Amino acid sequence: MAMNLNDLYKKVSAIPIGDFPPSALSGLLHGYISVYSIVRVSPWLEDVYGSQWDIHERIREIAGELADLIQDPSVTLEDRVGHIADLMEAYLTYSDMDFLDIALDAAYGIISPEGRDEIVLPCRTPEMCRLLCSYYYFTGEERCAELAGEIIKERGTEIFNKSVEEPLENRWNWYRAEEFYENIIGEEKHEKVKNMLMLEEEFWKQFGKDIDSKDLTVSTLCFDNLALKEYSLI
């Protein structure tokens, strides 16, 4: 028995956005972006997933939560980087300039502290890679594209090596970062990106039959994985 996207979608859609912990917002956002793309390509699936407008509104609500977190001084830097990256990605589906301005200002404050000309990286996480890719997309700053590539080549290579022990969530985040890097920067796609879709079996082994009893962060991670797989099959 495999996990079912429809059942999981109904579960997460019934929960108010404000009830999700910050750690669940990234998976939730990416899951809804994939579902929005599914319905946009196949409008008849609105009967299954709801209208494009309804999905769009859920993305807007998530973006609102992310915008608040970005401006919360109690949020750690690494978490802030992830929220900024997610908010910029949300803009690609929900085009609200207020949200984008918040994200770009926050991104600039992280990679150019005190207005320095040189771009600095306080961390080399997959979320930082996505932040740099989005910043490059919106500003044309070539150095951001270069640094994003360095992060993927330095750290990502270790993760893609199957002999390296790495938590499933970390591996998924790196696959996500490489996919985003290749889509934005425009380099040739590698075969290992396809491995993102092969992680379903591992998600199922770890979280499958008792998914309803797991926390919301795990549920949204599975939601992201299943929704992306479904979109890839269209």
Side-chain angles (χ1 to χ4, degrees):
M1 179 180 179
M3 286 188 289
N4 185 290
L5 172 61
N6 295 352
D7 291 342
L8 191 52
Y9 181 74
K10 290 176 183 177
K11 175 187 175 184
V12 299
S13 295
I15 302 172
I17 296 298
D19 288 355
F20 287 92
S23 59
L25 293 179
S26 185
L28 190 67
L29 173 70
H30 287 102
Y32 272 111
I33 289 175
S34 292
V35 171
Y36 183 83
S37 299
I38 290 169
V39 173
R40 186 177 57 190
V41 173
S42 306
W44 56 90
L45 289 177
E46 286 192 353
D47 291 340
V48 177
Y49 300 113
S51 69
Q52 290 187 53
W53 170 258
D54 290 339
I55 302 167
H56 198 256
E57 281 299 288
R58 289 287 276 185
I59 293 172
R60 179 191 63 78
E61 290 182 59
I62 299 168
E65 293 290 324
L66 292 170
D68 289 342
L69 287 168
I70 286 171
Q71 300 173 90
D72 183 345
S74 69
V75 175
T76 65
L77 184 141
E78 287 198 1
D79 286 343
R80 192 186 312 277
V81 167
H83 299 325
I84 294 168
D86 288 334
L87 187 56
M88 285 195 279
E89 286 186 51
Y91 178 83
L92 299 177
T93 302
Y94 182 77
S95 303
D96 186 308
M97 280 302 301
D98 289 338
F99 286 152
L100 181 61
D101 286 342
I102 290 170
L104 288 174
D105 287 346
Y108 181 77
I110 285 176
I111 64 177
S112 299
E114 300 177 0
R116 299 179 195 168
D117 291 334
E118 180 183 3
I119 294 175
V120 299
L121 299 183
C123 59
R124 291 181 170 274
T125 61
E127 291 75 22
M128 176 57 80
C129 177
R130 291 193 293 112
L131 182 152
L132 291 168
C133 288
S134 288
Y135 198 81
Y136 164 75
Y137 177 82
F138 290 115
T139 69
E141 175 56 66
E142 292 285 347
R143 183 57 177 153
C144 287
E146 295 171 4
L147 289 171
E150 288 180 12
I151 292 174
I152 285 292
K153 290 170 185 174
E154 291 172 9
R155 179 68 175 130
T157 299
E158 300 175 20
I159 307 304
F160 302 132
N161 182 345
K162 291 185 179 180
S163 66
V164 174
E165 291 295 328
E166 191 77 22
L168 180 57
E169 182 175 358
N170 291 356
R171 289 169 59 198
W172 179 250
N173 289 338
W174 279 107
Y175 286 134
R176 264 292 186 197
E178 171 136 337
E179 180 213 29
F180 196 65
Y181 172 77
E182 292 176 345
N183 286 339
I184 296 296
I185 308 304
E187 294 198 358
E188 183 178 354
K189 288 185 178 293
H190 301 121
E191 286 297 315
K192 56 179 167 281
V193 174
K194 296 179 182 178
N195 292 338
M196 291 178 65
L197 305 177
M198 298 173 62
L199 287 178
E200 181 191 6
E201 183 177 350
E202 292 188 49
F203 276 96
W204 175 244
K205 286 179 180 177
Q206 291 194 33
F207 310 123
K209 294 183 179 179
D210 58 345
I211 184 73
D212 287 337
S213 68
K214 296 294 184 179
D215 65 35
L216 292 176
T217 299
V218 168
S219 294
T220 56
L221 190 67
C222 294
F223 173 45
D224 180 17
N225 174 266
L226 291 175
L228 179 63
K229 180 181 180 182
E230 189 70 23
Y231 177 59
S232 73
L233 296 176
I234 295 178

